[in-house]
Amino acid sequence: MKSARRRSREFTVQALYQWQLAGQDLDDIEKQYVAMEGFEKADAKLFSLLVSGVIKHQDPLREKLTPFLDRPWDEVSPIERAVLLIAAHELISMTDTPYRVVINEAIELAKSFGGTDGHKYVNGVLDQLATQVRAEEIAFQGGTPATPPKPRAAKNVPTVVTKVRRVTKTTEKP
């Protein structure tokens, strides 16, 4: 079962895809999606926050993402652009959602709606963005988005070194 938040993100990807291709007005898009079948199972507030936030802040979001892209923005597929914009908005403006959740959700959206390896591209870009905009959260958790946290060594504990001597025992055969 999909959570209401996952459904909201799915509707948001579709709405932003439509917005990119058709250039529809924000109010028209929201009205259309709120009336769609299945929308009642989505988190309407999150959908509204994501769609309006991305559309209103598209230029600053794109500027934050651009240094981590390997191609011009216009050459990124519309689905991947939508997913990247949603995740960038969440990473920057909605800090109550852990960065790992934001990245994981974006990967799942890219798998569902995007091209074959689009999720890998989305993951790589968002890992880099997260290290920039969520540095404190990442440091607090002791890792980076791409690598899991390492166990921390105890402070002021002496290291004990032991030597092992190997002894081989031979037995006589009767």
Side-chain angles (χ1 to χ4, degrees):
M1 294 258 334
K2 294 179 184 176
S3 71
R5 293 179 67 83
R6 167 74 55 88
R7 291 177 193 272
S8 297
R9 289 181 181 100
E10 289 177 347
F11 280 114
T12 303
V13 168
Q14 295 171 45
L16 292 175
Y17 179 81
Q18 180 178 337
W19 167 74
Q20 290 178 79
L21 296 182
Q24 265 186 300
D25 182 65
L26 172 62
D27 292 332
D28 293 339
I29 291 172
E30 284 194 70
K31 287 176 189 173
Q32 178 185 351
Y33 279 85
V34 169
M36 286 182 95
E37 183 179 335
F39 189 82
E40 69 279 354
K41 294 179 182 177
D43 181 338
K45 183 179 177 183
L46 178 62
F47 171 79
S48 182
L49 286 171
L50 290 174
V51 171
S52 64
V54 167
I55 291 174
K56 288 178 184 173
H57 303 289
Q58 63 180 304
D59 291 333
L61 292 172
R62 189 171 59 221
E63 286 175 19
K64 286 284 192 183
L65 289 163
T66 299
F68 310 116
L69 303 177
D70 66 352
R71 61 191 88 140
W73 180 253
D74 293 337
E75 291 180 17
V76 177
S77 82
I79 290 293
E80 290 169 2
R81 283 195 311 246
V83 172
L84 288 169
L85 287 169
I86 293 166
H89 179 65
E90 284 194 81
L91 285 169
I92 295 166
S93 302
M94 303 173 82
T95 56
D96 55 320
T97 306
Y99 79 92
R100 290 178 194 227
V101 171
V102 173
I103 293 173
N104 185 57
E105 288 290 316
I107 292 168
E108 293 303 317
L109 290 171
K111 285 180 180 178
S112 297
F113 295 102
T116 304
D117 287 333
H119 67 282
K120 294 176 185 177
Y121 185 70
V122 165
N123 185 26
V125 171
L126 294 177
D127 277 346
Q128 293 177 73
L129 178 64
T131 59
Q132 184 182 65
V133 300
R134 295 275 189 104
E136 289 181 25
E137 179 183 352
I138 293 167
F140 179 75
Q141 292 183 2
T144 63
T147 59
K150 295 179 182 175
R152 297 177 188 208
K155 295 180 181 178
N156 299 326
V157 175
T159 304
V160 177
V161 178
T162 58
K163 291 185 179 182
V164 177
R165 179 180 286 175
R166 292 185 183 196
V167 178
T168 56
K169 184 177 180 182
T170 57
T171 57
E172 291 183 23
K173 293 185 182 181

